Amino acid sequence: MSAIRKLTPFAKEAKQKGLKVYHMNIGQPDIDTPEEYFEGLKNYHKKVLGYEPSEGIDELRSAFSNFLGKNNIDYSPEEIYVTNGGSEGLLFSFLMICDEGDEILVPEPYYSNYNTIANSCGVKLVSFETFIEDGFHIKSKESIEKVITSKTKAILYSNPSNPTGVVYSIKELQMIADVAHENNLYIISDEVYRELVYDGIKYESIFSIEKIREHLILIDSLSKRYSVCGSRVGMIATKNKNLREEIVKLCQSRLSTSSVEQYSALNLLKIPTSYIENIRDIYQERRDVVCGILGKIDGVKIYKPEGAFYLIASLPVDDAEDFCKWLLTDFNINNETVMFAPAEGFYMNNEVGKSQIRLSYCISVKDLEKALHILKEGLRSYNNKN
Ligand SMILES: Cc1ncc(COP(=O)(O)O)c(C=O)c1O
């Protein structure tokens, strides 16, 4: 069951009772989808909605290539394949490098849908731990090496990370690259939040490390940066010729991705980079508000996330899932309450995450302030009751 949606039935009941629920459980941007996207839809005038090439339309593969080039990530259009969101790119990666029973390493906590994809492919995820005290940065090369087995095929991570917001430094990426290089592993670099990096930190993709390029699979998506989660446009890229042959087969197995969406996506990739910089500033302000408020709540432990729009907070409760559920079923302030994702589902070792929540800051500053006030008062009331 998805950690993000597990408590949805309780949120639904709360709404049926007439409560307003602030959703800090899900990474669904609230920012308006750019007008350019809808113009793209309106200007789609083909008479027949036919299949498009399985690999994606040439124009979009070129547009992705240009877009990545601006970040010094150099893939030719032929090395890029359009997918149904980053999710399908991840699925393709698992399918093409793993046999049933093979293992993929992930820093823990990790994006919970990696589990869903692994399960559907018969792949086992194996985690290496990162800790809230370190802002979820990778401790050492050894921490990764010690979980490698003869079945390990790849190292997978999201950078910036969902659910922690950590942005890996070039030193950490070098550790990953060294481990992969020395052990002949693939690297699946999930970069769907690439531009959402704060405090002037310069984003480095592992692509910059030349020696692993043949083993690198890059995943990207338009969902988050352009607020188009529903349009399902993403991509997978690799320099590895053998892998590209496998990707083509997988693309052909599902014939085509949406034609209309691909043409509309072209418009998004033409938007000046100042648009994304503006979005980044909005999220940075929200992150600062969230950290400022959480930092003042007794017993709540946080760190400052450097990117994406998520944060893991440790709460002064034994069972964060029970607390999150209670907020929806038994607590409100002026008929308003808040929904978080219990962090347990982002861990393999469930005990560690038991007192933690993952929250997303995809709602306005005003709503964040109200939602976190409910959290603060809720903690007081819950702990008095127990
Ligand atoms: C880390 C990460 N990777 C991939 C995805 C997949 O997004 P999409 O399939 O919408 O591109 C998400 C969505 O939340 C995510 O958080």
Side-chain angles (χ1 to χ4, degrees):
M1 160 89 59
S2 154
I4 301 153
R5 296 174 193 267
K6 197 170 181 181
L7 301 180
T8 300
F10 302 105
K12 203 170 155 199
E13 268 175 40
K15 286 178 198 168
Q16 277 162 356
K17 281 194 267 170
L19 297 189
K20 177 179 167 95
V21 178
Y22 292 104
H23 281 277
M24 293 189 70
N25 60 307
I26 195 157
Q28 165 65 66
D30 63 328
I31 291 167
D32 283 355
T33 302
E35 222 12 78
E36 286 85 340
Y37 168 81
F38 296 107
E39 271 161 32
L41 285 184
K42 273 187 237 145
N43 293 336
Y44 183 87
H45 287 314
K46 289 199 178 176
K47 288 225 163 92
V48 176
L49 262 184
Y51 292 120
E52 296 295 347
S54 298
E55 296 89 336
I57 58 172
D58 288 345
E59 298 91 320
L60 187 54
R61 295 171 86 190
S62 295
F64 268 128
S65 171
N66 281 334
F67 183 79
L68 292 173
K70 288 184 199 149
N71 287 283
N72 300 321
I73 301 173
D74 172 30
Y75 285 104
S76 69
E78 295 71 35
E79 292 166 335
I80 293 172
Y81 301 85
V82 179
T83 52
N84 285 299
S87 306
E88 192 183 49
L90 288 163
L91 176 68
F92 283 4
S93 310
F94 281 45
L95 287 172
M96 64 191 180
I97 60 177
C98 290
D99 290 322
E100 214 172 325
D102 281 344
E103 296 172 1
I104 292 184
L105 308 186
V106 275
E108 179 179 62
Y110 55 88
Y111 173 44
S112 53
N113 231 14
Y114 291 162
N115 275 332
T116 324
I117 297 170
N119 290 341
S120 66
C121 303
V123 170
K124 187 175 165 204
L125 288 186
V126 175
S127 65
F128 52 96
E129 285 178 305
T130 61
F131 302 93
I132 195 167
E133 295 77 18
D134 305 323
F136 295 104
H137 281 280
I138 298 172
K139 255 201 159 20
S140 64
K141 195 177 160 215
E142 293 71 41
S143 68
I144 313 175
E145 282 169 334
K146 74 176 187 216
V147 289
I148 294 180
T149 72
S150 59
K151 298 237 170 230
T152 310
K153 284 287 168 355
I155 306 173
L156 160 70
Y157 58 82
S158 64
N159 186 31
S161 160
N162 174 8
T164 67
V166 66
V167 176
Y168 298 125
S169 65
I170 189 68
K171 205 169 137 217
E172 291 166 289
L173 296 174
Q174 190 69 54
M175 281 182 212
I176 295 174
D178 288 346
V179 175
H181 192 63
E182 286 159 24
N183 295 278
N184 199 26
L185 304 177
Y186 291 106
I187 296 171
I188 308 170
S189 187
D190 177 350
E191 304 190 8
V192 308
Y193 299 99
R194 186 182 307 108
E195 290 78 16
L196 300 180
V197 168
Y198 312 128
D199 304 324
I201 295 176
K202 186 177 172 299
Y203 182 80
E204 288 277 1
S205 168
I206 203 161
F207 181 88
S208 65
I209 303 175
E210 248 183 273
K211 68 178 177 191
I212 50 84
R213 283 198 192 147
E214 275 294 308
H215 276 70
L216 177 61
I217 302 165
L218 185 88
I219 305 295
D220 207 343
S221 164
L222 302 185
S223 289
K224 309 290 174 165
R225 68 173 69 96
Y226 295 113
S227 272
V228 284
C229 295
S231 86
R232 313 307 305 132
V233 177
M235 50 137 275
I236 182 171
T238 183
K239 301 242 162 241
N240 185 306
K241 197 164 167 294
N242 293 334
L243 289 183
R244 289 212 305 276
E245 282 170 15
E246 294 306 313
I247 297 176
V248 171
K249 288 185 209 160
L250 289 163
C251 286
Q252 288 178 353
S253 74
R254 55 86 169 114
L255 305 183
S256 166
T257 65
S258 159
S259 53
V260 189
E261 297 292 351
Q262 288 190 72
Y263 284 100
S264 301
L266 279 176
N267 269 17
L268 292 176
L269 289 169
K270 283 184 206 143
I271 296 176
T273 45
S274 56
Y275 167 83
I276 303 179
E277 285 158 14
N278 184 36
I279 300 292
R280 185 197 57 206
D281 292 347
I282 292 173
Y283 285 122
Q284 177 168 317
E285 185 196 357
R286 292 176 180 185
R287 179 212 52 179
D288 290 343
V289 167
V290 169
C291 289
I293 298 174
L294 289 178
K296 288 193 204 118
I297 305 180
D298 270 354
V300 173
K301 192 156 74 180
I302 55 152
Y303 54 95
K304 209 168 183 187
E306 296 136 341
F309 36 61
Y310 307 99
L311 166 76
I312 297 253
S314 173
L315 302 184
V317 296
D318 293 332
D319 185 343
E321 180 169 331
D322 184 67
F323 171 65
C324 291
K325 189 173 144 211
W326 176 86
L327 282 175
L328 295 168
T329 54
D330 286 83
F331 188 75
N332 70 77
I333 297 180
N334 300 330
N335 288 330
E336 295 187 341
T337 192
V338 57
M339 181 173 180
F340 299 107
E344 211 176 344
F346 298 88
Y347 283 89
M348 212 163 278
N349 171 6
N350 288 346
E351 281 308 305
V352 188
K354 220 168 164 44
S355 60
Q356 299 178 347
I357 54 170
R358 189 211 63 170
L359 48 89
S360 65
Y361 38 95
C362 294
I363 55 177
S364 69
V365 166
K366 203 166 120 241
D367 286 355
L368 285 172
E369 286 169 345
K370 284 193 202 158
L372 295 177
H373 177 66
I374 296 169
L375 168 69
K376 182 178 164 196
E377 293 306 317
L379 277 172
R380 206 199 318 256
S381 176
Y382 181 81
N383 283 333
N384 281 342
K385 157 187 96 65
N386 286 342

